[in-house]
Structure formats: C-alpha cells, structure tokens
Amino acid sequence: MSIYQIKPIPRTLDVSPEHYIGGRRVPSRERFEVRSPLDWNHVLANVSRGSEQEVAMAVEAAQKAFPEWASLGPTGRAVFVRRLADLIEENVDRIAQVETLDVGMLERSLRDRLVFRAAKNYRVYADLAERYEENVWHSNGTQNRIIRMPAGPAAIIVPWNAPFLLATWKTAPALMAGCTVVLKPAEWAPLSASVLADLVHEAGFPPGVFNVVQGLGDEAGAALTRHPAIRRISLTGSPETGRVVGAQAAKSIVPFSAELGGKSPFIVFEDADLDAAAEKAAYQYDDAGQVCFAGTRLLIQESIADKFMELFIQYVQRHVLGDPRDERTTIAPLIHPEHLERVDAFIQRARAAGDRILFGGMRADGLWYEPTLVVPRANDSEIVQREVFGPVLTFQTFRDEYEAVALANSTVYGLAAVIYTHSSERAERVGRMVRSGLVWVNTFAVRDLTAPFGGTGISGIGREGGHYALEFYSDLKTLQIREGSVE
Ligand code: NAD
C-alpha cells in the first residue's frame, strides 16, 4: 500500500489562533505550534497557550453570563442554538478543511456526514429541551413538581479525535440546559474549536455564554477543572486523564461525566451475513483506527474463521492510504509523531511477546501506519487488553456463544460491542450479556442522538445523549406546595 502525492497545504487558514473569552479574542504571550499530520513540517498555526490567568478570565466571563442565560429558558436559548446549527451547515467546507488539516480525518466523511451531524446535535437538544415537561404529582396533601435548574458554568474538555463533533455533542446539551461553557480543546487539534467560536459569535450569543481556552491538559485543563466556579465537568479522553480529572471533580464536589477509551469486541457468528460482517470489520481501520468505539477485537466463530478471513482480507486490500482530502483515500495519517511511536511500540512489544502479526505492523510514509492484524498468543496479551487507538485489530476465534461472551467481557473496558448474527434470539441473548454501554447488531456507528451513550468499566462514568445529558447539566429541584394554600 503506497501513499500517493500529498496535495500542497494552503499557506493560510481562516482560523483565529487566540482564545475566545467573554465574546472577544484574547491572546496569550505563550504560544504553542500546531502542525498538520499530513505534513509534519507544516506549521498550521501558533496558538495561544492558556494559563491559569486566561482560564480564570474565561470562567469569570461564564459566571457573569450565567444568570441571564439561565433565565432565558429553553425557548429563548434555542433561538441562538438553532442559529448556530444553521451557521455550521453554511460553513461545512471551512470546518471540514480545518479539521482535515489539523486532525487528518477524511474530508469526505466530514463534508458528507460529520459536520451535518454536529449541526444536528444543536437542533436535537434545542427540540428536546423545549419539549421537556416537568413531572408533577400529588401526595401527602401537596403538589410535587420537579424542576431542572441550570447548574452553572461547565468545563468541557475534548480530545483530538473528532474534536468538532465532540465539542458540539457536549456543548449542545450544556447550553440548552442553561449552563454557560468553557471549552478546552486538545493541544494536538485545537483549530476547529476556534472556528466554532467564530460561528457562536456570528450567531450573536451573549458574551461569556460560550468561551474557548486553548492550552495543554496539565496547564489550562487542570486550571479549568479546579476552578471553584465550575459546576460541571465533562471530559472525553483517555482513562488516565479520566482518573486525574475525576479526582479533581471529587475534591471540588462537582458532578463529573467521562467518556473514555474502548477496546470493543466485534463478534461474528456462523449464521451471520459474512460478507457484510467482513466489510464492516475492515471499516474499523477508517480514520486510522483513531475512533473510541471501534470494534478492534475481532472475535470470529471457529467454524467460519477461514471463510471470514478470506473475505476480510479482500476488503482490507481495498483500503487506500493517502491524503485525507482525496476522495480515494480511506486511511489517513495518525495525529502526531508521538502517537505513531506509541502505536508502533505496541506492535514491537506484541512481536517480542510472541503475538503473530498477520499483516501490516509497519510504518508507511510520514505519519501513516499500515492496517495491521494481530493474532495474539493469548487473551491476556497486551495488544488484546489495552487500547491502541491506531489501525490495529486483533483476531481471535471462539467455539460457542458462551466463549464469545466470555472473551467479549474479558477487558477492563466496556464502551461498545458489535455482533453479527442472523438469529434474533441470539442477538437478544448475547446483546444482553455483553458488558458495554452500546451494542450494535448487524450494523456499526449508527446512533440516535437521543439514546444514551457512555461506557462501563474504565470506558467512562455517566451517560451522554438525549435527556441524560440535559439532566447532567441540571440540578433537579423538588418544589412542594401544600394543596389549597395558594391560588
Ligand atoms: P487525553 O486524555 O490525552 O486528552 C483529552 C483531553 O484532556 C485533552 O483536551 C487534554 O488536553 C485534556 N487533559 C489532559 N490532562 C488533563 C488534566 N490533567 N486536566 C484536565 N484536562 C486534561 O486523550 P486524547 O489522547 O486527546 O484522546 C484519545 C483518547 O480519548 C482515547 O483514549 C479515546 O478512546 C478517547 N475518546 C473517547 C471517546 C468516547 O466517547 N468514549 C471519544 C473520543 C475519544
């Protein structure tokens, strides 16, 4: 597999490198370089590096804006939020361009699907919050009413993979619940958050409702999570960061929601449509495997393992490593040289430990890594048990349902699972026994935004999606009035 020519990267990008605080751009003296994974020599921007001081400014702006934003109510807030959704749709090309150059994601899928989905996040939450009906009942001679109180300024921290989508996924419920937000994008991919800030500005949000502070995790991120005015912390990132941020949330006694890593099983039974299963299995290499819910552990029933492998290899061979702006490309580069080293080190250790590399296991040009399949020496191999977050899948076989479920549930993660079977009874049985926040049967990565999303085990705490996220960003209050005492 070869990498054909990378097209030139534009000299200038339509992105501000500064923070967005209290409705205006704020620079820091300290900066950090953002480079493109398409060409590591190309510096895309010199971005402001937030410190405790800029974080404090942003949280104070969010605190100041909070009472008025909260008092607007869902209908008042929805006006701004729907305007933002419109602007995202009007700026699909700009957002897709920036995200592709900054992260390396396939431009085609951003343009055709993901940016629209980001806009949809805001629309779905505008609708959900507007339609919310307070629960009212009578008991003990009183009327009980459950009211959602907006919680206050929320800290929202996102990772470098799919940063635009994830920023909208989190800020949509926060804003519609009546919280003001301080968004901290990842240091390896901060640029699309800055574009989002431009669109928020254009949508006319009151200053301070939506703020962006760029910076490093242990500087700006840590300062944000420990700020005493923050009333909610929502993180998407690695379990390691989840532990650190969770400890801070506990110290501050602030509700904490965490979407962390995954090592999802992809289970194929002998009664499945093998061609469809093999095609989707090969699709797990998309975006270079830098997808939290990717089904990276292929668990295939012994009786059809050879046939499945034959089909799977045919689909893998169709992958094209290349420029993510090119229509033909299906496998993009990894985000950063450090990440490339990390992925390759997993493979080196797997080799040394006696795992068999069936194909791939090599760097290609630049930051590209070949799609790799590993047959582990045993289920306790590191390559089976730890998230690689690269184009690396493992291949294991099972005899029966019992063994399939045992293998599926044998890691400390539990974000998602994929099952291919033709039997509805088996889908129901295995679907219920697999321990994960989400199970896809005969499909992958289709999600209804109103359904809960989140992990079990070290894949996370709490659920996002639908009204689950609106509840997270609200404090519930019971208003109890003695019947007949008021008119
Ligand atoms: P990361 O944990 O290194 O960083 C995530 C974010 O946390 C970044 O913005 C970072 O700056 C910030 N951060 C780091 N240390 C911090 C600290 N001490 N205090 C506050 N903030 C801090 O993760 P990453 O490498 O950017 O992303 C990859 C990881 O994210 C993978 O494990 C992947 O599975 C996970 N992920 C999970 C989901 C999900 O929905 N479950 C989605 C996407 C990515």
Side-chain angles (χ1 to χ4, degrees), residues 109-415:
S109 55
L110 282 160
R111 215 173 243 143
D112 295 348
R113 287 186 303 115
L114 298 180
V115 180
F116 287 100
R117 204 173 160 84
K120 196 171 169 191
N121 281 333
Y122 288 117
R123 291 215 170 88
V124 164
Y125 277 103
D127 293 349
L128 272 179
E130 272 190 321
R131 283 203 309 262
Y132 176 68
E133 282 180 20
E134 288 172 359
N135 194 5
V136 183
W137 75 95
H138 300 266
S139 66
N140 303 321
T142 62
Q143 183 203 59
N144 301 267
R145 197 137 60 89
I146 307 302
I147 293 171
R148 276 181 182 165
M149 282 191 299
I156 293 190
I157 302 177
V158 294
W160 50 259
N161 72 312
F164 190 81
L165 187 69
L166 290 170
T168 62
W169 171 235
K170 287 179 179 296
T171 56
L175 291 169
M176 278 313 303
C179 291
T180 50
V181 303
V182 179
L183 169 66
K184 213 262 338 139
E187 47 272 54
W188 284 357
L191 301 184
S192 61
S194 183
V195 177
L196 185 58
D198 276 352
L199 303 181
V200 162
H201 194 78
E202 201 179 331
F205 277 72
V209 168
F210 183 104
N211 307 276
V212 176
V213 178
Q214 301 154 151
L216 311 190
D218 54 6
E219 290 177 9
L224 180 57
T225 56
R226 68 171 173 258
H227 195 291
I230 288 295
R231 300 315 314 149
R232 288 294 183 274
I233 301 173
S234 177
L235 165 77
T236 296
S238 60
E240 293 71 30
T241 304
R243 287 190 180 99
V244 175
V245 174
Q248 181 55 56
K251 272 190 206 155
S252 308
I253 316 190
V254 167
F256 166 59
S257 161
E259 301 288 342
L260 306 173
K263 194 75 191 174
S264 302
F266 188 107
I267 311 169
V268 184
F269 286 101
E270 60 192 359
D271 61 0
D273 175 343
L274 286 195
D275 192 66
E279 185 180 13
K280 268 299 183 258
Y283 180 75
Q284 307 303 310
Y285 291 119
D286 262 38
D287 275 323
Q290 300 170 125
V291 177
C292 58
F293 51 67
T296 49
R297 290 186 292 136
L298 303 184
L299 304 177
I300 314 297
Q301 195 152 17
E302 225 167 54
S303 51
I304 45 103
D306 290 347
K307 178 71 189 153
F308 175 87
M309 182 65 92
E310 200 182 298
L311 291 166
F312 175 65
I313 288 176
Q314 280 172 23
Y315 280 110
V316 174
Q317 281 168 341
R318 292 187 193 176
H319 275 304
V320 179
L321 279 71
D323 189 328
R325 293 167 295 174
D326 194 312
E327 290 283 315
R328 288 171 297 176
T329 299
T330 60
I331 297 194
L334 294 171
I335 178 90
H336 194 283
E338 270 177 39
H339 190 52
L340 178 71
E341 290 299 329
R342 184 177 173 274
V343 168
D344 195 42
F346 265 107
I347 298 300
Q348 301 308 333
R349 289 197 297 274
R351 258 198 197 102
D355 298 331
R356 203 150 52 92
I357 315 297
L358 224 63
F359 56 75
M362 289 196 322
R363 296 160 191 248
D365 294 345
L367 298 186
W368 279 256
Y369 203 84
E370 293 210 342
T372 300
L373 187 67
V374 182
V375 179
R377 132 201 86 68
N379 190 50
D380 65 359
S381 289
E382 183 198 42
I383 202 79
V384 177
Q385 295 296 326
R386 283 190 59 200
E387 181 184 50
V388 178
F389 220 53
V392 176
L393 305 184
T394 58
F395 186 93
Q396 294 168 276
T397 57
F398 62 85
R399 275 180 303 276
D400 52 25
E401 262 179 38
Y402 178 81
E403 197 182 3
V405 170
L407 286 170
N409 292 345
S410 68
T411 74
V412 288
Y413 299 90
L415 188 57

Side-chain angles (χ1 to χ4, degrees), residues 49-60:
R49 174 170 163 173
S51 66
E52 187 116 31
Q53 196 188 334
E54 291 86 349
V55 167
M57 272 176 79
V59 179
E60 279 156 28

Side-chain angles (χ1 to χ4, degrees), residues 26-40:
V26 175
S28 294
R29 200 142 25 99
E30 298 283 321
R31 326 281 297 179
F32 63 98
E33 273 183 355
V34 177
R35 291 171 181 258
S36 177
L38 278 59
D39 172 0
W40 198 247

